């Protein structure tokens, strides 16, 4: 157990974050994104859906625009100003040729050095199943990546068996907390009994915690899926 994680590469300029739903970037990688954009790297987000099925008791046509606005604000807080929503149906995302083409086109268009995406495995841990949207979307990203003639240098996901990590400074952890807390409406319905700021703090603390396999006070870990 516990081989040391490798430091995440630094010699790149552009990254594209590909996810299924609003809040996916904030659960996992926003602290790293905040640090990267502060260092002058350019990062954009593309989301398959608008998360319109994600606010209980709120109709999709109401929830979708709220979640898009919250996502744009979350992104802005960590220095990301390019956010795209592709309009695939939340909770019914499937690994179709259309989705794979959309992903491949986005990668070709943006020509990032790094692509970051969701974990696509069936379980996070025994008894902790992954969401089907995430699994389908992640599989589509891997296949789209493999189909490209000119591949980005790295494809990473934020899965449970990481290979690499970013040592993030405390100020970027704080930014990540603000970024997650920008999903105000979503989080306030998700857990009405706990203030949004407190939920965000707990989640980000967990996701950026110090680890045995990497020397840093705060770390964001990634699994390398492909290296071109
Ligand atoms: Zn999600």
């Amino acid at each position: 157990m516990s081989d040391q994680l490798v430091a995440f590469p630094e010699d790149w300029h552009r990254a594209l974050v590909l996810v299924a739903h609003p809040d996916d970037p904030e659960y996992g990688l926003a602290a790293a994104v905040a640090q990267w954009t502060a260092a002058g790297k350019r990062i954009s987000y593309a989301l398959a859906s608008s998360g319109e099925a994600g606010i209980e008791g709120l109709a999709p046509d109401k929830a979708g625009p709220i979640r898009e606005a919250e996502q744009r604000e979350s992104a802005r807080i960590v220095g990301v100003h390019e956010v795209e929503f592709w309009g695939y149906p939340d909770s019914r995302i499937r690994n179709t040729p259309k989705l794979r083409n959309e992903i491949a086109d986005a990668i070709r268009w943006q020509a990032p050095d790094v692509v970051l995406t969701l974990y696509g495995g069936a379980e996070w841990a025994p008894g902790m199943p992954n969401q089907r949207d995430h699994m389908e979307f992640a599989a589509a990203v891997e296949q789209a990546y493999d189909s490209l003639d000119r591949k980005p240098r790295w494809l990473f996901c934020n899965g449970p068996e990481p290979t690499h990590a970013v040592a993030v400074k405390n100020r970027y952890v704080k930014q990540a907390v603000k970024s997650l807390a920008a999903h105000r409406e979503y989080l306030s319905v998700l857990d009405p009994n706990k203030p949004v700021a407190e939920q965000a703090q707990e989640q980000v603390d967990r996701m950026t915690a110090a680890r045995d396999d990497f020397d840093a006070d705060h770390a964001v870990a990634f699994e390398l899926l492909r290296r071109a």
Side-chain angles (χ1 to χ4, degrees), residues 20-24 118 131 134:
H21 313 112
D23 84 28
D24 287 340
L118 298 167
Q131 289 181 36
H134 291 181

Side-chain angles (χ1 to χ4, degrees), residues 46-221:
L47 295 87
S49 83
S50 300
E52 69 276 5
I55 302 183
E56 206 181 312
L58 201 60
D61 65 327
K62 296 271 192 316
I66 291 172
R67 299 212 67 199
E68 285 189 11
E70 291 185 342
Q71 181 62 62
R72 288 185 194 285
E73 176 64 7
S74 290
R76 192 193 60 75
I77 290 167
V78 294
V80 174
H81 303 286
E82 296 160 86
V83 182
E84 281 181 16
F85 299 91
W86 293 345
Y88 287 81
D90 183 10
S91 81
R92 286 178 289 128
I93 294 171
R94 297 296 173 258
N95 176 9
T96 59
K98 180 172 184 282
L99 178 59
R100 292 194 296 274
N101 283 336
E102 189 120 28
I103 292 166
D105 283 348
I107 296 174
R108 271 190 216 104
W109 176 251
Q110 301 209 16
D113 309 295
V114 188
V115 175
L116 299 154
T117 194
L118 298 167
Y119 172 57
E123 289 188 319
W124 282 90
M128 282 181 62
N130 200 354
Q131 289 181 36
R132 179 158 179 196
D133 271 10
H134 291 181
M135 293 161 62
E136 298 268 348
F137 185 78
V141 171
E142 287 195 43
Q143 289 174 30
Y145 179 95
D146 290 339
S147 76
L148 294 166
D149 290 330
R150 294 180 60 186
K151 295 175 172 58
R153 286 164 70 193
W154 299 275
L155 170 62
F156 285 96
C157 78
N158 61 346
E161 291 183 338
T163 54
H164 290 65
V166 184
V168 284
K169 296 203 176 87
N170 194 39
R171 57 193 287 204
Y172 302 114
V173 173
K174 286 184 182 156
Q175 259 179 273
V177 172
K178 285 197 188 117
S179 174
L180 179 54
H183 293 278
R184 184 166 309 285
E185 189 90 11
Y186 171 74
L187 290 171
S188 63
V189 174
L190 191 68
D191 184 352
N193 299 313
K194 188 176 287 184
V196 166
E198 216 175 293
Q199 292 186 50
Q201 184 77 54
E202 283 180 12
Q203 293 290 341
V204 172
D205 282 349
R206 182 177 57 77
M207 295 177 302
T208 59
R211 339 175 26 109
D212 292 341
D213 53 10
F214 193 68
D215 182 23
D217 291 337
H218 308 282
V220 177

